[in-house]
């Protein structure tokens, strides 16, 4: 079928919305008419060639929409059902079988190659193959092919114009707090960087009853929103030495944070996050980009601190996304507060606004 999709023809080029031929769904595939898709920094990193993608490729990895057709082997959904897309995974390696799908042993091939597992493309342009399986979905498009592995069914009245943002950045921030470094009453949390990932972490920490939730950033409107979402303290780093920021975190939490999350990838900020930990505290990074991190061993050793990575929220999406949706339905995870909608034609503007910080979570929408 003919679709409109945002393609990158070569590294560094802007996204170009063009017409493509999308394959009919195979036996294990699902054709979805896309209604909304979130915009993430990962899309721009791929566009710039910072990730192991192959061009030309259709980007987008936080899609949602209505099922139009299903392959013969599909049993979970039927035409007319509404779904969120999650990052794909192989489904048969040890990590997938353990339910920790972000750590899939074939994650690079499944996520970035943009083809089916057998290497075949899902789309073409004038007979030329175009990679249309970025994160198993390539959802900067009017239609996408996905599988039962990387969809989550939602109610018929689900507000996809903002729920589309749940399935990458939001799940990463929330999952780091709820899964990778579980937090509860009596605990303190420090979150360095309050973009979409950081604010999702703030909401998760508040939802699970943390005593202290400290938001740290240099963008005032983000800190104001963090406060509105329940952060107990907001620290503006503008013009300040990070050692002073660390000292303030320690002061407001009493003895340092039990959990710290870095969303920036900045080595100096990561060091500050670790230094702000209480005894036996844990800090996590959630991004692979950025220069190497240097930590004096004593920063970890003398207080038994830990620094870890948390990939994609440390989740099983089939379990965790419904959990977040339930929190949202009960008013305890108001993700709509982060979202600004853009028409699909403004995809490049939405990416630019995300990178500049003007918009916390852009979500592209498609006309009826």
């Amino acid at each position: 079928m003919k679709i409109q999709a945002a393609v990158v023809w070569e590294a560094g080029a802007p996204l170009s919305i063009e017409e493509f031929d999308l394959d009919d769904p195979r036996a294990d595939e699902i054709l979805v008419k896309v209604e909304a898709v979130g915009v993430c920094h990962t899309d721009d990193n791929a566009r710039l060639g910072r990730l192991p993608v192959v061009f030309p490729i259709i980007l987008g990895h936080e899609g949602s929409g209505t099922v139009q057709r299903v392959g013969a082997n599909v049993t979970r959904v039927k035409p007319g059902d509404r779904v969120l897309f999650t990052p794909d995974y192989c489904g048969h390696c040890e990590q997938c079988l353990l339910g920790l799908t972000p750590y899939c042993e074939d994650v690079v091939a499944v996520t970035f190659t943009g083809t089916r597992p057998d290497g075949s493309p899902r789309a073409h342009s004038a007979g030329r193959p175009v990679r249309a399986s970025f994160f198993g979905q390539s959802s900067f498009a009017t239609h996408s092919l996905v599988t039962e592995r990387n969809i989550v069914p939602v109610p018929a009245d689900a507000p996809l114009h903002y729920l589309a943002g749940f399935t990458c950045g939001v799940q990463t921030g929330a999952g780091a707090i709820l899964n990778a470094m579980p937090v509860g009453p009596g605990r303190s949390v420090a979150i360095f960087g309050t973009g979409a990932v950081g604010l999702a972490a703030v909401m998760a920490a508040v939802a699970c009853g943390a005593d202290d939730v400290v938001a740290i950033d240099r963008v005032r409107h983000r800190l104001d929103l963090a406060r509105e979402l329940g952060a107990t303290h907001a620290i503006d780093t503008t013009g300040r030495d990070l050692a002073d920021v660390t000292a303030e975190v320690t002061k407001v939490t009493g003895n340092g944070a039990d959990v710290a999350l870095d969303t920036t990838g900045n080595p100096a900020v990561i060091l500050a996050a670790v230094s702000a930990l209480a005894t036996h505290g844990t800090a996590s990074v959630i991004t692979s980009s950025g220069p190497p991190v240097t930590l004096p061993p004593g920063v970890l050793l003398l207080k038994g601190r830990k620094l870890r990575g948390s990939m994609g929220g440390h989740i099983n999406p089939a379990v965790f996304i419904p959990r977040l949706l339930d929190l949202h339905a009960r008013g305890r995870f108001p993700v709509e507060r982060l979202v600004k909608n853009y028409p699909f034609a403004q995809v490049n503007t939405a990416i630019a606004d995300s990178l500049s910080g003007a918009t916390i979570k852009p979500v592209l929408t498609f006309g009826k």
Side-chain angles (χ1 to χ4, degrees), residues 51-94:
L51 298 174
V53 297
V54 179
F55 300 96
I57 189 167
I58 297 168
L59 298 177
H61 64 287
E62 296 182 351
S64 63
T66 301
V67 174
Q68 288 203 317
R69 295 170 58 191
V70 300
N73 296 338
V74 173
T75 59
R76 287 184 62 205
V77 293
K78 63 185 183 304
D81 288 348
R82 302 179 85 215
V83 294
L84 300 178
F85 305 166
T86 67
D88 203 2
Y89 50 92
C90 77
H92 53 72
C93 72
E94 181 177 8

Side-chain angles (χ1 to χ4, degrees), residues 160-333:
L160 298 183
H161 63 285
Y162 58 81
L163 294 186
F166 259 62
T167 59
C168 183
V170 168
Q171 75 175 28
T172 294
I177 299 301
L178 298 176
N179 298 324
M181 305 178 293
V183 172
R187 308 289 280 176
S188 57
V189 182
I191 297 157
F192 289 76
T194 54
V197 175
L199 288 172
V202 167
M203 291 189 289
V206 172
C208 62
D211 281 10
D212 298 303
V213 181
V214 186
I216 301 120
D217 206 311
R218 59 185 180 186
V219 181
R220 173 47 57 184
H221 75 88
R222 291 183 176 186
L223 291 172
D224 291 342
L225 181 54
R227 278 283 204 177
E228 293 173 16
L229 293 170
T232 57
H233 305 85
I235 300 176
D236 190 336
T237 64
T238 304
R240 297 184 61 181
D241 186 271
L242 283 172
D244 293 337
V245 173
T246 297
E248 185 170 351
V249 173
T250 302
K251 178 180 178 181
V252 300
T253 56
N255 197 32
D258 298 299
V259 164
L261 178 64
D262 172 73
T263 71
T264 71
N266 182 311
V269 177
I270 293 170
L271 174 58
V274 174
S275 301
L277 291 172
T279 301
H280 305 307
T282 301
S284 180
V285 296
I286 54 88
T287 177
S288 62
S289 60
V293 177
T294 301
L295 296 175
V299 172
L300 298 173
L301 178 67
L302 297 178
K303 291 197 173 185
R305 294 160 166 158
K306 297 179 287 292
L307 175 62
R308 61 159 299 159
S310 173
M311 181 76 142
H314 200 72
I315 71 164
N316 179 332
V319 174
F320 188 68
I321 296 300
R323 182 182 177 191
L324 286 186
L325 291 170
D326 180 63
L327 284 173
H328 174 266
R330 290 188 281 141
R332 298 177 62 192
F333 200 84

Side-chain angles (χ1 to χ4, degrees), residues 1 22 25 29-33 66-69 143-145:
M1 66 177 297
L22 186 69
E29 292 179 334
I30 302 162
L31 175 67
V32 179
K33 182 178 181 181
T66 301
V67 174
Q68 288 203 317
R69 295 170 58 191
H143 298 77
S144 289
L145 287 173

